[in-house]
Amino acid sequence: MNVLAIDSSNLVMGVAVTSGGKVLGELMTNSRKNHSERLMPAIAGLLDNVGLGPGDLDRIVVAEGPGSYTGLRIGVTIAKMLAWTLKKELVGVSSLEVVAQNARYFSGYIAPFFDARRGQVFAGLYQYKNGKVISSMPDRLVLIKDWIEGLKALNRPLLFLSNDLEKWNDLLNTVPLAVFGDKPQNVPHAAELARLGEEKQPVPDIHHFLPAYLRLAEAEAKWLARQQER
Amino acid sequence: MGETMSLNVNRKTMILGIETSCDETAAAVVENGTKILANAVASQIDIHRRFGGVVPEVASRHHVDQITIVCEEAMRESGISWGDLDAIAVTQGPGLIGALLVGVNAAKALAFAHGIPLVPVHHITGHIYANRFVHELQFPLIALVVSGGHTELVFMKAHGSYQVIGTTRDDAAGEAFDKVARTLGLPYPGGPEIDRLAKQGKASIDFPRAWLEEGSLDFSFSGLKSAVINYIHNERQRGREISKADVAASFQVSVAEVLVKKTMLAAGRYDIRQLLVAGGVSANSRVRKEMTAAAETRGIPLVIPPLRLCTDNAAMIAASGTIGFLKGMRADLALNGSPNLAIEDF
Ligand SMILES: [Zn+2]
């Protein structure tokens, strides 16, 4: 199976191509540059480099979020469009699950997160079990203070993975038994995304596949709140 | 660009257009820039109505939900295959950035997947080219583009040549319609509601018309908007019942008069063979009626697209994209949405 993996859900932009599980190529940047301008050229360039055309692909895998709304829309739109028009399979994978793969063989809890502004984080909790990194609880949007309190209560060895570790350094250090990912461990790798995508079921309906925003649009949330007041 | 266009009559030019600049997700297939083979539009009006206007983040999310659906519908309805397409034309701007990005990236993915050229389109030129489905364009011409986002007078001496000769200095005309409608408690979108209500009222209230400096072709609608809103508030404060129909009629007459007089002033200044009106507000019955009468008096051939082509759609993007394609305009896979794209840089 030839897999194209796309991740533009956060600051990191990643593209990978695998064939029969073998990594043919991977491309990654971790910089504040425009994903909309760079993602499609990166995909075309990498495919060209590994000698595959769009028609040679069997499956498109996309990091579905959580992450930046705009970034998610760029990656998901391209992935949907390619899968639909080339009649290929589409798989969505949690962006946090991709990062969690970097802690394979770690025996405690794996805690990847992305900064979500206003004191919030998109956070997940994973464990390495029976040769796989599996989710211990659903990804969520949470106040980092509340998240930290919850993790303290676990009282187990824990590995934080995040491109935004430094921002929350002081708070994270209050968690006993916590250790921190090295810099390359904190960024998602698209080849891991490709591997995860190869294991998962394709989406049944490409048309209605949407990013995992994990948060309503603000106007939508306010509107719902007003309805409930009535 | 700039070289003469080769209009090869032996070959059909087939373009898929994609439009997501605001709250309509749209895809269309157009032949030779003049014939609509398919025109799929997923409107979000019902979604935004409860917010009283277009919410960018909500619009962007719905575009992602609808984009492959409208493309599938357009391709199926047209009966053509990907190999029959000469190019994919997409709205590059202006518009809401988050919304534009969906269409631009969708178009890039399609262009890459099928090895088809990509042509960037300025949204306003799309509105202008909607007229080409009604009547072949005759140059030189002037187009009044008037919508919720735009109020512009554009001079064209040839296909694909655009010179802005007048523009709004504050609100777009359609924006004024929406705000006045909201103050009157009418549902979104306000334009059609005001039009409907105005038919039951009399233009008995004297609202201001902004002419700006002597001879200016620019527009200003914020003063009028404020005057109408102040009038409504004042009357209500005095406990007087207002006639919504009369307010709607008076406001609409004021907008139409300014639009028509400025357009005629421009028409008198340029030696034109055709006058076009385009954009959502050109669906307004008063504007249509007054513009038709004024053009007739002056003997200027007027073209206004049918109502369904006045609002945002992708057929118009494909029509303008056809001209861009024939002129050799191409975008590469680095194309990005440009929220403030200027028509003259285009
Ligand atoms: Zn428009």
Side-chain angles (χ1 to χ4, degrees):
Chain A
M1 186 193 287
N2 293 333
V3 176
L4 168 68
I6 301 168
D7 184 358
S8 61
S9 53
N10 287 279
L11 191 61
V12 168
M13 185 185 92
V15 183
V17 181
T18 63
S19 181
K22 185 183 170 202
V23 181
L24 298 184
E26 189 182 31
L27 195 148
M28 192 265 278
T29 64
N30 185 19
S31 66
R32 220 164 278 284
K33 280 188 183 164
N34 195 303
H35 288 356
S36 175
E37 270 173 40
R38 297 184 307 130
L39 183 54
M40 207 52 235
I43 292 168
L46 184 63
L47 280 171
D48 187 48
N49 266 314
V50 302
L52 291 182
D56 300 323
L57 298 170
D58 300 297
R59 186 175 275 198
I60 318 283
V61 182
V62 65
E64 66 182 15
S68 132
Y69 300 162
T70 301
L72 288 177
R73 279 192 280 273
I74 293 163
V76 167
T77 297
I78 288 175
K80 275 180 83 164
M81 224 36 175
L82 289 176
W84 166 70
T85 198
L86 295 165
K87 300 190 169 68
K88 309 297 183 187
E89 293 168 341
L90 177 68
V91 180
V93 175
S94 154
S95 302
L96 289 163
E97 189 177 356
V98 179
V99 180
Q101 304 308 306
N102 297 348
R104 197 177 291 119
Y105 311 123
F106 180 73
S107 58
Y109 279 109
I110 306 163
F113 70 87
F114 306 127
D115 186 56
R117 284 179 287 193
R118 293 185 233 164
Q120 301 176 104
V121 286
F122 291 118
L125 197 65
Y126 293 80
Q127 275 178 291
Y128 181 70
K129 266 188 191 161
N130 307 323
K132 278 188 176 170
V133 176
I134 57 155
S135 175
S136 298
M137 59 165 75
D139 295 346
R140 63 197 55 203
L141 174 70
V142 60
L143 281 169
I144 184 139
K145 285 196 175 115
D146 296 345
W147 184 235
I148 293 294
E149 289 312 310
L151 296 178
K152 279 180 186 168
L154 289 174
N155 202 25
R156 289 267 315 274
L158 183 122
L159 170 58
F160 280 115
L161 294 178
S162 178
N163 214 1
D164 305 306
L165 281 183
E166 276 145 36
K167 177 171 177 181
W168 299 108
N169 208 19
D170 295 348
L171 206 50
L172 301 176
N173 269 311
T174 65
V175 181
L177 307 175
V179 289
F180 302 90
D182 265 336
K183 289 205 165 61
Q185 265 181 302
N186 287 314
V187 290
H189 295 281
E192 297 285 2
L193 172 63
R195 189 186 55 76
L196 285 170
E198 195 160 347
E199 290 167 2
K200 291 179 195 280
Q201 286 300 310
V203 302
D205 176 11
I206 292 174
H207 284 321
H208 291 297
F209 177 75
L210 288 174
Y213 295 107
L214 299 194
R215 178 158 53 184
L216 287 172
E218 207 177 318
E220 199 92 50
K222 281 185 180 157
W223 183 83
L224 277 174
R226 274 201 308 277
Q227 297 309 105
Q228 274 154 14
E229 274 167 26
R230 277 176 198 172
Chain B
M1 271 215 290
E3 69 271 31
T4 41
M5 210 178 303
S6 62
L7 290 161
N8 190 339
V9 288
N10 298 318
R11 222 193 142 277
K12 286 175 186 168
T13 303
M14 208 72 88
I15 308 281
L16 171 70
I18 293 178
E19 151 68 34
T20 64
S21 67
C22 189
D23 61 341
E24 320 276 0
T25 320
V29 178
V30 168
E31 183 183 312
N32 290 336
T34 52
K35 188 177 168 196
I36 299 173
L37 300 188
N39 193 11
V41 182
S43 174
Q44 299 179 8
I45 285 180
D46 292 338
I47 289 154
H48 295 283
R49 185 169 287 134
R50 62 204 156 102
F51 306 122
V54 177
V55 180
E57 175 61 23
V58 174
S60 304
R61 290 186 180 198
H62 281 281
H63 285 312
V64 180
D65 190 36
Q66 294 296 316
I67 189 71
T68 55
I69 296 172
V70 293
C71 287
E72 183 169 270
E73 203 179 313
M75 289 303 286
R76 190 180 48 225
E77 204 182 303
S78 71
I80 66 160
S81 61
W82 294 103
D84 299 325
L85 284 173
D86 291 283
I88 294 170
V90 63
T91 306
Q92 182 189 355
L96 305 170
I97 182 61
L100 287 167
L101 285 178
V102 176
V104 165
N105 281 288
K108 293 199 292 185
L110 287 175
F112 168 68
H114 301 290
I116 304 171
L118 188 64
V119 177
V121 175
H122 188 288
H123 182 80
I124 297 297
T125 70
H127 277 300
I128 293 172
Y129 271 89
N131 286 284
R132 207 171 170 217
F133 297 122
V134 182
H135 199 290
E136 184 55 273
L137 306 190
Q138 308 284 333
F139 302 102
L141 64 78
I142 283 174
L144 170 70
V145 182
V146 61
S147 72
H150 307 276
T151 308
E152 270 153 49
L153 281 163
V154 180
F155 175 72
M156 291 178 70
K157 59 181 192 303
H159 276 302
S161 152
Y162 310 98
Q163 187 194 345
V164 176
I165 55 173
T167 187
T168 183
R169 295 192 187 163
D170 39 61
D171 294 355
E175 220 175 321
F177 268 96
D178 283 338
K179 286 189 184 144
V180 167
R182 203 186 304 186
T183 313
L184 286 173
L186 304 174
Y188 174 86
E193 292 293 328
I194 288 195
D195 198 357
R196 196 177 44 75
L197 202 56
K199 288 185 177 125
Q200 301 154 22
K202 279 201 304 280
S204 53
I205 312 154
D206 189 27
F207 289 130
R209 281 104 168 120
W211 302 112
L212 305 173
E213 316 83 61
E214 176 83 29
S216 170
L217 295 179
D218 283 348
F219 301 91
S220 166
F221 291 105
S222 73
L224 168 62
K225 177 194 71 189
S226 305
V228 177
I229 292 170
N230 286 342
Y231 171 84
I232 297 166
H233 287 329
N234 287 341
E235 292 299 294
R236 279 182 185 155
Q237 237 158 37
R238 288 174 195 145
R240 285 205 287 253
E241 185 85 16
I242 58 157
S243 159
K244 287 185 181 184
D246 288 354
V247 171
S250 309
F251 163 74
Q252 187 169 281
V253 159
S254 174
V255 174
E257 189 182 324
V258 173
L259 289 175
V260 171
K261 284 211 173 141
K262 294 268 180 184
T263 305
M264 290 306 143
L265 185 62
R269 206 171 290 173
Y270 292 80
D271 188 21
I272 57 165
R273 293 177 60 200
Q274 202 176 47
L275 179 64
L276 312 180
V277 184
V281 178
S282 58
N284 181 271
S285 64
R286 178 86 194 181
V287 172
R288 287 173 97 92
K289 193 173 141 223
E290 294 293 311
M291 198 68 83
T292 306
E296 212 169 274
T297 309
R298 286 165 182 78
I300 307 165
L302 173 73
V303 185
I304 307 181
L307 299 183
R308 74 194 159 83
L309 291 174
C310 287
T311 47
D312 289 351
N313 62 84
M316 69 185 202
I317 300 304
S320 173
T322 305
I323 298 301
F325 172 74
L326 293 171
K327 285 180 76 168
M329 281 185 79
R330 298 291 182 273
D332 61 20
L333 294 179
L335 179 69
N336 200 4
S338 309
N340 304 311
L341 187 67
I343 200 167
E344 275 145 330
D345 298 340
F346 188 71

